[in-house]
Amino acid sequence: MSYAYLFKYIIIGDTGVGKSCLLLQFTDKRFQPVHDLTIGVEFGARMITIDGKQIKLQIWDTAGQEAFRSITRSYYRGAAGALLVYDITRRETFNHLTTWLEDARQHSNSNMVIMLIGNKSDLESRREVKKEEGEAFAREHGLVFMETSAKTAANVEEAFINTAKEIYEKIQEGVFDINNEANGIKIGPQHSPTNPSLPGAGGQGGSQGGGCC
Amino acid sequence: MKGQISTQIVKILFSQDGVILVDAPPAYQNCVNKTGKMLITEYEKKSMIYVEWKIKNELITSETEDKEWSLVDVMQQESGSDDAKDDEYLDCLKLHLKNIKQVKIINPNERVELMEVGRTWLFDFRSGNFSEFVIDVTAMLNTMKEFYPEVAPTDYLSSFINLIPNFVSTLTGIVYSEWNPEQGDVKRSLSKYKREGFPNLPQREICERGEPLSLAQWQSFKNSEGKIYNVDVLKKIIFKGGLSIEIRKEVWMYLLKYNKWEYPSDQQEEWISKCRDDYYAMKSIWKNIKPDVKDTRFKKCHDSVWKDVLRTDRDLAYYSGSDNPNLEKLFNILMTYCAVYNSHLGYVQGMDTLLSPILYLLDNEADAFWCFVGFMNRTSPNFEKSQTYMRMQLYNTINLLTFLQPEFVEYLKKKGCDHLGFCFRWLLVWFKRELSMENVINLWEVLWTGLPCENFHLLICVSLLESQQAMFMENDYGPEEILQHIHNMRDTIDVAATLNSAEAIYNQIVSSEYLPESIIAALCLPRNKFISKPE
């Protein structure tokens, strides 16, 4: 299917916080309570619309366990957006956010939009991390924040779409060099860089119509 | 042309002290034979990665001023690098990764040569971490092509690799070599480069699976005392046809080195009984840890094992339902292994996946534990935190594929997929995720024979990849499509056909006129039997 842009995402966070379930809920609109654990990486994609434009989200879902960090790190590269997920019913998954954030910032491009997600909001009775704590962490580190439930689908669409909106805005502002695929953004096959409705590559004036393939 | 180099190290990617500079260009002779610390550092951007060697605790001077290599003076050291507090070491050599043209292992385990244009540096790693360094540098040089398109992909031909826990130990030779852009057309140059030194492969002969080992056959391999003789012949039959159901439990215990081929029946029984007791003794150790003294490491292990037990093969009747006692068994075995038997390694995801078929088949907790130990003795390097062994296996697989299907590898390179990251899951859990329980049982018992070579499972990878080659290339699949396709292959894999094809590939390789070092190492072939280079 034709798209104006393709954004590459990565989902990170401790094991068992619901990364794969969030992806499944977003791409397939279903919840699988018993889910095979993710080995290496998994992948999903979905089309969304922002500002009347078709945007393809290409989402890489990673294994959360620390032993695989050195392998999953290679998927950070070339991501435009990251969903950093913790489980509101397990305090330790929140405590590990700093490590995750450091890792993400070190191995990704500096413009990557990071969305902090407190998942399992349906399990209010087992909550260990207050919403305010998530908000404060996000504020302190310049992240967007949202609590979601992959089970009830609450805020799942919003989490993925709001991240895309941020990226889209950054493109409009010329922050992202859209001609450099290492930024996790690709212009759709029908939308060559010469299309005047698209913003030019930030600070790269004069490089019109850089070869199509 | 280069931007301002910041003095702020963003990240230290590698660090090892006790590294001696053995040889260096004349201007650096005063540093030769000094001990220092080897670092791989990253500054600001990912494109600024350096190999640095810092000299231990003495001031050095040099008249040299070089654009790429420079002796950073002591002032700079003091004025704020991250390492400033670490005055045990002083900045000395700093080589931009971009300028490294060749990495060569001179002496396995210890000595490596780094080459830039007209200059060579020799380092001895006296305090370990040698292979880590070689692998890290090589891996980074590989990924660099993204930042410096003029740098060609690694020469997979040249002998990287080697295996089994002490992989790099037996290896010498060039592990990275830069393509020379002066040589003209990239594609032509690359394919010429790759084929250089490769023999013409003989025709691939079709292989066919045999019959599974029957009960009667099995009995015929036992002498009156119950000892198994002619184990080599027996293993060959298992390799060709697997096992029939009625003897599977018993023979698995031999293949996984729990039962001993050489024990007579009475000694075997004694041994098994002792092992079972040992298992329950180990199990009681962690079972008796009182909740209030549970340290965080134990708790972490406990929680993560239980979390994964709840999502291991739950669609299988044997593990389904909420109060299934087999979940408890799975949990007990993993806990005994991870918290007691091999607590150094601890629990890593995927172990559950390897255990599940064993427990399913043996349906006995203590026996399944010891068989799992046997399997883990082979596969535990897969779970090490450095993931070095996993990376080595991927390297070996691409080497084999380059030897057999160079144009396919060229395609994967073009798509940025030649790291074979999409095969990670295959190798980590021996194709368990891609196959039904019945099929995985059929595959594993063949692989456990260790025939026809140590790393036959890599040829399973190659065989599966070959079977998808046309699909990938005709549809112009990129990294995403390939990963998705590979993960969707579950239940479409024909184990018998895959084994036939892998065996045919093996036969084709070993009947080659001679073999490159990389192939001998990848498959762990006996060196004396295969000539690595033509006379």
Side-chain angles (χ1 to χ4, degrees), chain B residues 20 47 72 91 99 144 330 334 347 425 495:
Chain B
I20 297 170
S47 54
V72 182
D91 287 353
N99 297 318
M144 254 192 8
L330 198 67
L334 284 169
Y347 175 71
R425 196 167 83 180
V495 171

Side-chain angles (χ1 to χ4, degrees), chain A residues 15 37 41 65 106 108, chain B residues 11 46 311 349 433 487:
Chain A
T15 176
L37 64 91
V41 288
Q65 211 186 14
Q106 262 165 26
S108 63
Chain B
K11 185 151 192 242
K46 280 179 281 295
R311 41 182 181 165
Q349 291 180 333
R433 275 293 178 85
H487 282 189

Side-chain angles (χ1 to χ4, degrees), chain A residues 9-14 17-19 22 60 62 69 76 81-87 93-105 112-119 134 137-138 141 143-148 159-160 163:
Chain A
Y9 280 17
I10 179 167
I11 312 183
I12 53 176
D14 276 10
V17 297
K19 298 183 291 297
L22 282 167
W60 297 80
T62 63
R69 208 65 59 86
Y76 285 34
L83 304 189
L84 171 53
V85 187
Y86 68 93
D87 174 354
T93 67
F94 181 77
N95 295 343
H96 295 155
L97 288 176
T98 321
T99 324
W100 278 110
L101 199 58
E102 273 170 17
D103 218 42
R105 292 231 158 108
M112 184 169 80
V113 172
I114 304 174
M115 163 79 77
L116 179 67
I117 291 180
N119 191 37
F137 186 92
H141 294 92
L143 316 174
V144 193
F145 174 70
M146 209 165 251
E147 280 195 352
T148 61
F160 284 88
T163 308

Side-chain angles (χ1 to χ4, degrees), chain A residues 15-16 34-37 39-43 58 60 65-68 70-71 77 90 106 108, chain B residues 11 42 46 146 307-308 311 314 347-349 352 385-387 424-425 428 433 480 483-484 487:
Chain A
T15 176
V34 177
H35 194 285
D36 281 352
L37 64 91
I39 294 177
V41 288
E42 303 269 356
F43 171 82
Q58 197 179 72
W60 297 80
Q65 211 186 14
E66 206 182 339
F68 301 117
S70 72
I71 293 291
R77 202 183 305 121
R90 281 194 297 144
Q106 262 165 26
S108 63
Chain B
K11 185 151 192 242
E42 188 179 314
K46 280 179 281 295
E146 287 178 30
K307 221 169 174 20
D308 286 353
R311 41 182 181 165
R314 297 299 300 282
Y347 175 71
V348 181
Q349 291 180 333
D352 60 320
K385 201 176 165 187
S386 67
Q387 290 289 290
F424 182 85
R425 196 167 83 180
L428 188 83
R433 275 293 178 85
E480 300 78 27
L483 182 80
Q484 204 152 31
H487 282 189

Side-chain angles (χ1 to χ4, degrees), chain B residues 264-295:
Chain B
S265 306
D266 51 346
Q267 199 182 344
Q268 196 83 262
E269 271 164 39
E270 218 174 283
W271 167 251
I272 296 293
S273 153
K274 185 193 167 294
C275 286
R276 286 177 181 161
D277 290 348
D278 285 351
Y279 170 73
Y280 290 109
M282 284 190 285
K283 181 178 163 184
S284 70
I285 293 175
W286 65 266
K287 282 274 187 192
N288 286 328
I289 296 179
K290 292 198 179 72
D292 53 325
V293 294
K294 278 178 186 172
D295 62 87

Side-chain angles (χ1 to χ4, degrees), chain A residues 14-46:
Chain A
D14 276 10
T15 176
V17 297
K19 298 183 291 297
S20 302
C21 289
L22 282 167
L23 176 60
L24 192 70
Q25 183 58 261
F26 180 65
T27 57
D28 287 29
K29 298 198 190 324
R30 63 193 171 97
F31 176 69
Q32 217 178 337
V34 177
H35 194 285
D36 281 352
L37 64 91
T38 305
I39 294 177
V41 288
E42 303 269 356
F43 171 82
R46 205 188 110 180

